[in-house]
Amino acid sequence: MGFDKDTATVIYHVFAALCYFFPLIGGIVADSYWGKVNTIIYISFVYFLGMVLMTVSAVPQINGGQDVPGTINTVIALIALFVIAVGTGGIKPCVSALGGDQFAENETGKKQLSSFFALFYGSINAGSLLSTFISPLLRELKCLNRADCYAIAFLIPAALMLVAIGAFLFGKSQYKEKPVSGNIFTEFCGATWSGLRGKCKADTKVTFL
């Protein structure tokens, strides 16, 4: 993108921080308002939009085909990173929790649950490992009159994300979902605030006495 090392480092860490901040928001929305299934669906489309924007930001023709990305490319890329952070953070607290909801609370269900999480996290790690090797290879392809092809490296994951959304929607009617009942984080914050406010009032009365 043409950033210096310090700027690129700041952008990377802000992006990573947002990816870990938005699960708080996603969990609150899922537990208190939309439910896990609808939250995953709605936020997955946000995630997909971010990936499409990242793909568009890598198209050199936006900047007249110049080697150095222009202002438009940069702005779109930064917006894309923010949208992706919202997307990944929004669905992160819901996916594994929804998977856990599908199993009965008996001995058989516990064994199935253990197998599910082993397969779930194994698939995530396998995907991460493969992408570490495949994405750089895709980037090295020649396309759009350039010696590299970042656009293809971003486009394929975006397309796979759309396939994943379609697969999730296909099974929507079969999912078991617990009704929304509030979020433990908001309850904790509310209880903490009530306690602090009560203590401040008590301290004020003691001071006046």
Side-chain angles (χ1 to χ4, degrees):
M1 298 301 299
F3 294 118
D4 59 66
K5 184 176 180 180
D6 290 340
T7 303
T9 300
V10 170
I11 293 173
Y12 170 78
H13 285 291
V14 169
F15 172 70
L18 290 174
C19 287
Y20 285 102
F21 168 74
F22 280 109
L24 294 174
I25 307 301
I28 291 171
V29 170
D31 292 340
S32 302
Y33 302 102
W34 292 349
K36 297 183 185 72
V37 173
N38 286 334
T39 300
I40 292 172
I41 292 172
Y42 299 153
I43 303 300
S44 288
F45 280 108
V46 174
Y47 200 163
F48 173 68
L49 173 62
M51 299 178 77
V52 170
L53 288 173
M54 184 59 71
T55 302
V56 172
S57 75
V59 176
Q61 277 74 7
I62 294 178
N63 190 38
Q66 300 298 317
D67 290 335
V68 179
T71 302
I72 297 177
N73 298 84
T74 301
V75 170
I76 294 176
L78 294 176
I79 293 173
L81 286 175
F82 178 79
V83 175
I84 289 172
V86 173
T88 186
I91 66 175
K92 190 185 294 290
C94 303
V95 176
S96 57
L98 179 64
D101 289 343
Q102 307 310 302
F103 301 95
E105 296 181 5
N106 53 36
E107 198 62 33
T108 301
K110 290 179 180 179
K111 292 181 180 179
Q112 293 174 337
L113 182 63
S114 178
S115 299
F116 163 75
F117 278 115
L119 180 61
F120 177 74
Y121 288 110
S123 299
I124 290 176
N125 291 327
S128 298
L129 179 64
L130 287 173
S131 67
T132 302
F133 291 101
I134 294 175
S135 293
L137 294 176
L138 294 173
R139 183 201 63 191
E140 294 299 324
L141 297 175
K142 294 181 179 180
C143 68
L144 302 174
N145 298 321
R146 287 177 58 92
D148 54 37
C149 198
Y150 285 91
I152 291 295
F154 293 136
L155 177 62
I156 291 179
L160 293 175
M161 183 66 188
L162 187 61
V163 171
I165 295 173
F168 187 80
L169 287 171
F170 182 77
K172 181 182 177 183
S173 62
Q174 304 299 317
Y175 302 142
K176 300 175 184 177
E177 184 178 17
K178 296 180 180 179
V180 295
S181 58
N183 182 271
I184 187 65
F185 181 73
T186 56
E187 293 176 2
F188 166 77
C189 291
T192 302
W193 171 248
S194 297
L196 290 172
R197 186 172 56 180
K199 179 172 176 55
C200 289
K201 288 181 178 180
D203 289 344
T204 302
K205 290 179 180 179
V206 170
T207 300
F208 281 117
L209 289 175

